[in-house]
Amino acid sequence: MIKNHGLVIGISTYQHIKPLSASVTNDANSIHALITSGSLGLYDPAHIQLLTDAEATGFAIRAALNKLAAECLTDSTVLIYFSGHGAQLLAGDQAGAYLLPVDVRYGSDEELASTAISGKEFSAALRQLRSRRVLVIFDCCHSGGIGETKNLVDTELKAGLPDSYYKDLSKGWGRVIIASSRQNEVSYVYQEDKNSLFTKHLLDGLQGKALVTGQYVRVFDLFSYLQPKVTAEQPNQNPLIKAELEENFPVALVANLPAPPLPKAPNDDYKYDLFLSYRHLDPDQQWVKKQLVPALTNAGLSVCFDGDYKCFRAGEPIIKSMEKAVVNSRYTVAIFTPDYEESGFTELENLMAQHLETEASQVVGKNKRLIGVLYRDCDMQTLSLRLRYKRFINMLDPAEFTTGIEQLVYECRHPID
């Protein structure tokens, strides 16, 4: 978590051009508070920079971008949020798109170009970031109230940023650009709301109203929630996304979501929801006993494994205990690692489970007694053909452990079919 970084900028009280609603600064403060909170966020507060109003000078913004480039790592997540004026010079030698810091001046095109941050400059700053997980969020083309658009000054400077600006910024693997509206639209601020329409729904999405997988809100899932919410409330505002991306990376951690309701156990005669079959060698053995079993039992599942004296009785032949475990469990869950099939006992356990599958399929079409879990990376082609055809639950990434547990609960509480 401490490898992640952020830069949050909000400017409403411009020094030399038309100011914006106070909601703009409120937006930045709300985003900053959320991503650095103890109960929600992937970010160490020490690695999040906040610049609002008088602090957000051109010099300070450039210094903050340089700091990001110096400190972020390849596997860092970098979040940049800008709420303020964006503008376009439509013609002339200085034509292009610009982010406007609080001290921008516009006595001429040349003065604006020298006191604003051009699209080329900002794009170059993004290229300096080593991270392959960069999310830049713009809430730039604001309205001053319901249906009322804030213009800058009555000149050849056009408020807002063009769609081509966002497309150019997204070039480079691992970059996602989300903007509050299209180039010919405005970002609405309703007078009764603390935050702008876009950022209000952005905050909700980050706090878990967007799709959450394994306690994480991921970047595409965030936009999939945000865009229809904004457009449903204001059809004249359509958020957009531009991306060149290798993964749907996490942008928020939702730590305090209520636990999903546990599916009711099927009305059948099985004593246990699952029997765990695994290779009795470390690290597999420690992972099963110290992490997997506690997580499954805390989720409400009844688990049979050889570490439970009620399942494997002292003095009872081990093969008889294994047979009872397989027969009395709705599912056998095999923990596949490179060593799994080297044990004669694990081979016998999954053979028993698959034999029951075969018997059941001949009678009532019940054919799913064995579930595979990938815990340590292994060459799938080295597994027996009878195992390779199985659909696995992937728990190779520790960050996906919670998601894997949720999937196991879902599967093991479903009747055999």
Side-chain angles (χ1 to χ4, degrees):
M1 291 185 185
I2 62 172
K3 296 179 181 178
N4 298 332
H5 299 265
L7 172 58
V8 180
I9 303 167
I11 310 169
S12 57
T13 56
Y14 279 87
Q15 296 174 359
H16 308 295
I17 59 175
K18 185 176 290 186
L20 289 169
S21 163
S23 67
V24 172
T25 307
N26 291 339
D27 286 346
N29 286 326
S30 297
I31 291 291
H32 179 262
L34 180 62
I35 66 174
T36 59
S37 65
S39 60
L40 185 150
L42 294 172
Y43 309 88
D44 185 332
H47 293 171
I48 306 298
Q49 304 175 76
L50 174 65
L51 299 174
T52 56
D53 288 338
E55 301 169 332
T57 63
F59 177 84
I61 292 173
R62 292 181 176 94
L65 290 169
N66 289 335
K67 188 172 188 287
L68 281 181
E71 295 183 352
C72 77
L73 304 175
T74 303
D75 58 349
S76 299
T77 296
V78 177
L79 188 153
I80 300 173
Y81 174 91
F82 180 89
S83 186
H85 273 312
Q88 307 167 60
L89 284 171
L90 300 179
D93 294 340
Q94 309 300 330
Y98 295 85
L99 293 180
L100 307 189
V102 70
D103 56 346
V104 68
R105 291 179 178 272
Y106 186 36
S108 65
D109 289 358
E110 289 73 20
E111 185 176 39
L112 181 132
S114 65
T115 57
I117 298 173
S118 71
K120 291 181 179 179
E121 182 181 359
F122 191 65
S123 185
L126 294 185
R127 286 197 299 271
Q128 295 303 309
L129 301 176
R130 288 169 286 179
S131 172
R132 303 293 291 269
R133 299 176 172 184
V134 178
L135 171 60
V136 186
I137 302 174
F138 292 102
D139 195 355
C140 281
C141 195
H142 295 276
S143 68
I146 299 176
E148 178 188 350
T149 305
K150 285 277 190 181
N151 295 316
L152 290 170
V153 287
D154 295 328
T155 65
E156 292 298 312
L157 192 65
K158 181 181 179 183
L161 296 169
D163 294 354
S164 58
Y165 173 81
Y166 303 126
K167 183 177 180 180
D168 289 342
L169 291 183
S170 71
K171 292 178 180 177
W173 285 113
R175 291 192 206 161
V176 180
I177 311 298
I178 295 178
S180 60
S181 61
R182 296 173 181 164
Q183 63 184 36
N184 294 320
E185 299 174 338
V186 298
S187 293
Y188 284 84
V189 183
Y190 291 99
Q191 294 173 346
E192 66 274 14
D193 288 341
K194 174 184 176 182
N195 299 111
S196 69
L197 174 62
F198 171 81
T199 297
K200 176 180 71 174
H201 290 297
L202 173 63
L203 290 164
D204 285 344
L206 288 169
Q207 291 179 87
K209 290 190 176 181
L211 175 66
V212 177
T213 55
Q215 291 189 302
Y216 294 102
V217 175
R218 299 175 184 275
V219 63
F220 284 147
D221 300 321
L222 176 63
F223 184 78
S224 294
Y225 168 83
L226 174 65
Q227 194 276 338
K229 286 291 185 182
V230 172
T231 303
E233 194 166 339
Q234 177 46 255
N236 294 320
Q237 182 176 346
N238 293 271
L240 59 87
I241 186 170
K242 305 289 183 182
E244 292 190 14
L245 199 59
E246 296 171 322
E247 63 168 325
N248 185 17
F249 59 82
V251 292
L253 171 65
V254 184
N256 294 323
L257 277 181
L262 183 69
K264 292 183 178 180
N267 185 21
D268 55 31
D269 296 326
Y270 292 108
K271 185 175 181 180
Y272 305 103
D273 291 311
L274 72 146
F275 165 56
L276 284 174
S277 171
Y278 63 97
R279 181 81 161 109
H280 292 183
L281 290 175
D282 289 336
D284 304 354
Q285 183 169 234
Q286 289 298 310
W287 183 77
V288 167
K289 292 183 177 181
K290 302 296 185 183
Q291 295 188 50
L292 184 61
V293 170
L296 292 172
T297 54
N298 288 338
L301 293 182
S302 56
V303 181
C304 177
F305 75 113
D306 63 356
D308 185 346
Y309 66 87
K310 296 188 295 297
C311 298
F312 281 67
R313 302 290 300 276
E316 185 175 64
I318 185 67
I319 293 179
K320 183 177 180 180
S321 295
M322 290 163 49
E323 179 185 0
K324 288 168 56 179
V326 172
V327 171
N328 291 329
S329 300
R330 188 174 302 109
Y331 294 93
T332 293
V333 175
I335 310 302
F336 289 117
T337 68
D339 309 311
Y340 179 78
E341 286 195 289
E342 293 180 10
S343 166
F345 286 129
T346 57
E347 182 178 18
L348 180 58
E349 289 164 352
N350 67 64
L351 277 172
M352 289 178 182
Q354 291 184 82
H355 180 74
L356 289 176
E357 285 185 349
T358 304
E359 284 187 343
S361 65
Q362 293 173 351
V363 179
V364 290
K366 298 179 178 179
N367 58 3
K368 204 172 62 173
R369 290 296 296 270
L370 182 68
I371 298 173
V373 169
L374 280 178
Y375 156 56
R376 284 196 290 125
D377 202 5
C378 58
D379 183 357
M380 300 300 294
Q381 296 306 310
T382 64
L383 292 176
S384 302
L385 181 61
R386 60 188 166 79
L387 297 179
R388 291 207 303 266
Y389 84 94
K390 288 289 180 184
R391 184 174 66 86
F392 298 98
I393 294 175
N394 192 332
M395 299 178 77
L396 294 173
D397 184 353
E400 301 295 335
F401 181 77
T402 301
T403 304
I405 294 297
E406 292 174 358
Q407 189 174 354
L408 271 174
V409 170
Y410 179 84
E411 296 290 350
C412 291
R413 278 293 177 88
H414 271 67
I416 300 295
D417 55 23

